């Protein structure tokens, strides 16, 4: 019974969408039986850019858990972990902060683009020091907690000594940062931590309904797992397609067309998809038909997910209890890992408290 471990997770910032599904959820559902799987709800990480409105997070956590249960994460097989109730993660982060330089943090490509997108601060600089940092390309008004969240994420992964981390492509830099921290820790204090590997989903990136390269809540271009059939039909009807194709008899481009990216990812009827592509390229099919068939395929995919969600939605107390019980179970893993870390670092002068 010595299975390898998986740790993966999400920020509870809103409902999970089809991009999450192809990027990581599908992998988790598949792998939960082969690996000892932990799925973390990163509410403390979500705080790093929502610290002014923490009141939303509790409800978001419940929603994410419902999405997990709906897609088939089995709470008797995988362990759902609430980050804020796992103090070992936070302690580990503080130790790791000594192993990472400021320049390493400002280099992280995912964090870099998030900082640009979110435009932290008021954009005007207060003094000499802020101007100096801005001239170096560092936004001086980024909260330290935000800049450092990759360190906290490294703690998420290593508090479980996970071997594998199934994530979307945008998370690859976080796993790389984690590997660096592990190598440095082990070199300094002796072999203690497992160096994890990333497992990127089958579809690297699902475009948004507006044709932008990524489905994201901030861009408002998502199809959520909890959308009703009617909402899905409406979103698909409004989807971006080949803009040059103003009439059905104009030959269209399939490559890079989000409607076909979704067909490829979610329509199991390959013959239907190939026929639509052929006719689209030849100018022999209207967008309406392509989209109708897409909405039908998406709804067929989402129906069983909606059904499982409804069952749990009717039992909110059980969902809350599940989160608590599951996190308790997770701490039976993180506790011993932290003892090993303190022993390796010799932060154990007086033995252990309990
Ligand atoms: N940063 C991830 C995201 O935004 C969420 C996350 C937090 C995570 N901790 C993790 C993912 C640990 C994998 C492993 O999607």
């Amino acid at each position: 019974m010595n299975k390898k471990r998986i740790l993966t997770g999400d920020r509870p910032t809103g409902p999970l969408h089809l991009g999450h599904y192809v990027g990581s959820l599908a992998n988790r559902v598949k792998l939960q039986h082969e690996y000892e799987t932990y799925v973390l709800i990163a509410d403390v990480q979500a705080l790093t850019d929502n610290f002014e409105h923490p009141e939303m997070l509790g409800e978001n956590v419940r929603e994410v858990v419902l999405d997990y249960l709906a897609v088939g994460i089995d709470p008797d097989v995988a362990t759902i972990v609430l980050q804020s109730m796992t103090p070992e993660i936070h302690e580990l982060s503080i130790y790791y902060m000594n192993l990472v330089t400021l320049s390493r943090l400002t280099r992280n490509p995912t964090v870099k683009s998030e900082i640009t997108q979110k435009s932290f601060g008021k954009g005007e600089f207060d003094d000499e020091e802020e101007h100096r940092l801005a001239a170096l390309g560092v936004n001086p008004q980024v909260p330290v907690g935000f800049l450092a969240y990759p360190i906290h994420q490294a703690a998420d992964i290593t508090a479980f000594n996970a071997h594998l981390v199934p994530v979307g492509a945008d998370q690859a830099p976080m796993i790389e940062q984690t590997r660096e921290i592990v190598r440095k820790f082990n070199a300094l204090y002796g072999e203690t931590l497992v160096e994890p590997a990333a497992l990127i989903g089958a579809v690297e990136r699902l475009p948004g309904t507006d044709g932008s390269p990524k489905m994201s809540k901030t861009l408002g271009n998502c199809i959520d797992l909890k959308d009703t059939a009617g909402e899905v039909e409406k979103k698909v009807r409004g989807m971006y397609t080949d803009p040059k194709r103003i009439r059905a008899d104009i030959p269209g481009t399939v490559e890079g067309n989000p409607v076909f990216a979704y067909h490829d990812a979610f329509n199991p009827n390959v013959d239907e998809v190939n026929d639509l592509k052929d006719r689209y390229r030849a100018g022999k099919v209207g967008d309406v038909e392509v989209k109708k068939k897409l909405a039908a395929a998406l709804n067929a995919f989402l129906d069983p997910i909606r059904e499982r969600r409804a069952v749990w939605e009717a039992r909110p107390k059980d969902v809350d209890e599940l989160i608590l019980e599951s996190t308790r179970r997770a701490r039976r893993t993180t506790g011993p890992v932290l003892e090993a870390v303190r022993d390796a670092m010799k932060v154990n002068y007086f033995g252990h408290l309990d």
Side-chain angles (χ1 to χ4, degrees):
M1 245 303 289
N2 239 340
K3 287 184 182 172
K4 289 196 166 179
R5 283 184 194 156
I6 278 180
L7 180 290
T8 176
D10 300 281
R11 291 185 192 188
T13 50
L16 300 180
H17 52 63
L18 293 179
H20 290 114
Y21 188 84
V22 294
S24 57
L25 293 173
N27 261 336
R28 299 176 193 173
V29 172
K30 195 170 70 193
L31 296 172
Q32 63 184 337
H33 299 285
E34 280 166 58
Y35 290 81
E36 184 181 324
T37 298
Y38 298 88
V39 189
L40 177 104
I41 305 180
D43 56 334
V44 178
Q45 184 177 115
L47 266 182
T48 60
D49 59 342
N50 290 280
F51 57 89
E52 284 164 321
H53 300 287
E55 68 280 357
M56 284 302 296
L57 286 176
E59 205 33 57
N60 286 349
V61 169
R62 290 191 185 93
E63 287 292 317
V64 169
V65 172
L66 286 174
D67 282 333
Y68 286 167
L69 298 167
V71 296
I73 288 176
D74 180 344
D76 294 326
V77 175
T79 304
I80 294 172
V81 190
L82 185 59
Q83 192 185 34
S84 58
M85 296 206 308
T86 312
E88 291 80 11
I89 293 172
H90 317 309
E91 178 179 342
L92 207 46
S93 299
I94 293 288
Y95 298 144
Y96 290 169
M97 289 203 180
N98 299 325
L99 309 183
V100 182
T101 63
L102 182 59
S103 86
R104 180 62 183 82
L105 287 178
T106 56
R107 243 183 270 266
N108 185 309
T110 301
V111 174
K112 237 179 172 167
S113 70
E114 284 170 338
I115 287 174
T116 321
Q117 260 179 32
K118 290 176 202 285
S119 58
F120 285 104
K122 41 194 182 319
E124 296 159 17
F125 304 135
D126 284 341
D127 58 16
E128 198 78 354
E129 181 64 9
E130 291 208 345
H131 279 286
R132 209 173 55 78
L133 283 170
L136 295 170
V138 180
N139 180 340
Q141 288 158 1
V142 171
V144 170
F146 189 85
L147 194 63
Y149 88 72
I151 300 179
H152 200 231
Q153 187 158 336
D156 294 338
I157 296 164
T158 53
F160 291 86
N161 259 334
H163 301 86
L164 209 58
V165 190
V167 281
D170 63 319
Q171 294 296 304
M174 307 303 164
I175 316 305
E176 200 40 52
Q177 173 75 82
T178 306
R179 292 164 62 88
E180 282 174 33
I181 290 174
V182 167
R183 287 196 291 265
K184 187 141 191 199
F185 187 102
N186 287 346
L188 273 173
Y189 305 121
E191 281 300 316
T192 312
L193 300 168
V194 172
E195 189 175 326
L199 181 74
I200 310 293
V203 178
E204 280 235 334
R205 253 194 191 126
L206 196 68
T209 53
D210 61 353
S212 58
K214 198 181 158 190
M215 194 174 269
S216 106
K217 188 169 97 82
T218 342
L219 298 173
N221 61 9
C222 303
I223 294 178
D224 295 330
L225 296 170
K226 63 179 243 191
D227 280 347
T228 63
E231 282 164 338
V232 169
E233 279 160 23
K234 186 157 170 252
K235 287 182 179 179
V236 169
R237 237 182 286 128
M239 267 183 81
Y240 175 94
T241 57
D242 181 346
K244 293 191 293 296
R245 217 166 157 265
I246 45 176
R247 281 195 330 262
D249 58 354
I250 299 175
T253 307
V254 164
E255 288 68 31
N257 189 325
V259 177
F260 285 102
Y262 291 17
H263 265 298
D264 283 336
F266 294 102
N267 189 341
N269 186 344
V270 179
D271 291 339
E272 176 176 282
V273 176
N274 285 337
D275 168 62
L276 287 173
K277 285 181 179 171
D278 288 345
R279 287 194 288 136
Y280 198 81
R281 290 194 179 100
K284 292 208 166 107
V285 65
D287 274 20
V288 174
E289 183 184 341
V290 178
K291 287 179 168 177
K292 266 209 176 117
K293 290 194 164 134
L294 176 59
L298 289 177
N299 279 327
F301 166 77
L302 289 170
D303 270 340
I305 295 178
R306 293 179 183 124
E307 276 164 34
R308 269 193 301 266
R309 195 178 218 280
V311 171
W312 283 99
E313 254 174 350
R315 302 162 47 191
K317 283 223 172 63
D318 291 345
V319 174
D320 286 11
E321 187 46 46
L322 186 155
I323 296 169
L324 287 171
E325 191 43 47
S326 197
T327 303
R328 266 183 218 120
R329 187 171 4 133
R331 291 194 61 204
R332 294 209 288 269
T333 300
T334 54
V337 172
L338 256 286
E339 288 208 355
V341 162
R342 287 190 218 113
D343 286 345
M345 295 176 71
K346 312 240 181 314
V347 191
N348 59 353
Y349 342 98
F350 308 110
H352 299 292
L353 258 187
D354 29 64

